[in-house]
Amino acid sequence: MNAIASLSATKLPVYRTAIDWNEFYAAYPPPDVWYDTIFKWPRERVRALQNERFLALVKHAWSNAFYKDFWGKAGLEPGDIRSLDDIVKLPLYSSEEIKDDIKAYPPFGRYNGVNPDEALAHTPLKMQTSGGTTGMPRPTLYGPVEWELNALTLARTMYVQGARPGGVLQIPATCSLANFGWGYYKAAHEYLGMLPLTTGSGVVTASRRQLEIAEAYGTSAWAAFPEYLTTLAKVY
């Protein structure tokens, strides 16, 4: 049995078969293609695309029990949001509403719009959380499309700032339940042809060693919070 036949025969939720990749990249081009097309579109054309995707997202949100209840209590009905201009009609919510939803429907709440016990049988999921500074971290479940877009949008911003294949991206943020380190790692590794140096936080790799690694491997870009970069500057 050849590799292609083996992949088509599996009943497991293999990540690489979870997306129609041609369709995905037609809608969401890689950084260089996006830069030469959508990034340079006239304002009106970009607005039209934003409006189309916004309305599709609102339609999808009405099938999510959390948003359906929250919007309904605010007096909204399906069809009230007819364009991006109507975004001001959507009620704001805070982490408190998310916490209440998790408490009522533990452990993931309804806002994620997916039941992992059921979804994992056919869809790979990845969980990231909030920082947990105001209580138990709040989970966000990423499906394959969401996880790819998480990295792809980061890769686009990095490309605009000059990131190119052959560069070295040092990431002094630990790949943990927080999203920061994972997003930049995936952006560099899978979309930009950059070498990700996942050195982790100062607890994992001391600041002085961060600089030694940067010099040894030719770090050309950093993915870090400004406050930590000032710490590195002091150590240097």
Side-chain angles (χ1 to χ4, degrees):
M1 181 178 292
N2 61 44
I4 296 177
S6 298
L7 188 58
S8 63
T10 184
K11 294 181 174 59
L12 297 174
V14 178
Y15 185 86
R16 294 302 169 187
T17 62
I19 295 178
D20 183 326
W21 294 98
N22 290 331
E23 180 180 319
F24 177 80
Y25 288 122
Y28 306 105
D32 57 338
V33 179
W34 166 82
Y35 181 77
D36 289 330
T37 55
I38 297 173
F39 181 75
K40 297 179 179 179
W41 282 0
R43 189 180 189 88
E44 296 75 16
R45 190 176 179 185
V46 172
R47 179 75 175 186
L49 178 61
Q50 291 173 332
N51 189 69
E52 176 187 336
R53 290 181 173 172
F54 171 71
L55 291 178
L57 187 61
V58 170
K59 181 180 179 180
H60 177 70
W62 276 111
S63 67
N64 180 301
F66 172 81
Y67 289 100
K68 183 179 179 180
D69 289 353
F70 189 71
W71 290 352
K73 290 176 182 177
L76 285 177
E77 297 181 358
D80 287 347
I81 307 300
R82 300 180 181 180
S83 77
L84 190 55
D85 293 330
D86 291 331
I87 194 172
V88 294
K89 297 179 181 179
L90 295 176
L92 299 177
Y93 63 88
S94 70
S95 61
E96 294 305 315
E97 283 78 18
I98 296 296
K99 290 176 183 178
D100 290 343
D101 189 57
I102 294 172
K103 184 177 180 180
Y105 302 92
F108 297 102
R110 300 175 302 166
Y111 65 95
N112 281 292
V114 62
N115 182 340
D117 291 339
E118 299 173 358
L120 283 170
H122 53 78
T123 303
L125 298 177
K126 192 172 194 312
M127 189 180 87
Q128 305 296 143
T129 71
S130 64
T133 55
T134 60
M136 187 70 174
R138 297 177 297 281
T140 298
L141 295 172
Y142 290 80
V145 170
E146 295 81 19
W147 192 236
E148 290 302 315
L149 285 174
N150 182 57
L152 181 54
T153 51
L154 274 177
R156 288 174 174 179
T157 62
M158 292 171 63
Y159 187 85
V160 169
Q161 295 176 68
R164 292 295 186 273
V168 177
L169 178 68
Q170 191 156 332
I171 309 171
T174 303
C175 291
S176 62
L177 285 175
N179 192 39
F180 188 100
W182 288 103
Y184 278 99
Y185 160 77
K186 188 173 174 68
H189 185 234
E190 299 190 21
Y191 284 105
L192 291 169
M194 299 183 74
L195 177 66
L197 293 182
T198 50
T199 50
S201 65
V203 175
V204 179
T205 304
S207 296
R208 184 169 297 280
R209 182 53 55 87
Q210 297 273 7
L211 295 173
E212 293 171 349
I213 291 174
E215 184 175 356
Y217 295 105
T219 293
S220 56
W222 293 82
F225 292 109
E227 295 85 350
Y228 186 64
L229 292 178
T230 60
T231 296
L232 291 179
K234 293 175 183 178
V235 172
Y236 185 78

